[in-house]
Amino acid sequence: MTELTKLFKQTSEVTNGSLANVQKYYLGQFNVSNISQLTKLQADEIITVVKRKLNGGNKK
């Protein structure tokens, strides 16, 4: 889950939001409050979405 944590941190820096709020937003999509509660599939889905948003919506 280290990659996910790094992506959340990058997102909070780009949006000038708090890390806690970024995590809460994405984890809330799966009704969990902690990264460790995500399945591998859920984590991979969030990673894909966050990477896409950080890259300006372009698929890479």
Side-chain angles (χ1 to χ4, degrees):
M1 298 299 176
T2 305
E3 182 178 8
L4 195 51
T5 303
K6 287 179 185 176
L7 289 170
F8 286 163
K9 187 172 189 281
Q10 287 177 336
T11 300
S12 70
E13 291 169 356
V14 168
T15 63
N16 293 318
S18 74
L19 178 58
N21 284 342
V22 171
Q23 287 180 332
K24 184 177 179 181
Y25 172 78
Y26 285 105
L27 297 179
Q29 304 298 311
F30 294 101
N31 296 316
V32 299
S33 58
N34 192 302
I35 290 175
S36 65
Q37 295 172 304
L38 292 171
T39 66
K40 172 85 168 94
L41 183 62
Q42 290 169 328
D44 287 345
E45 186 173 334
I46 292 174
I47 288 168
T48 300
V49 170
V50 174
K51 281 183 175 179
R52 189 175 302 140
K53 287 185 177 184
L54 286 172
N55 288 322
N58 298 325
K59 291 184 180 179
K60 291 200 172 191

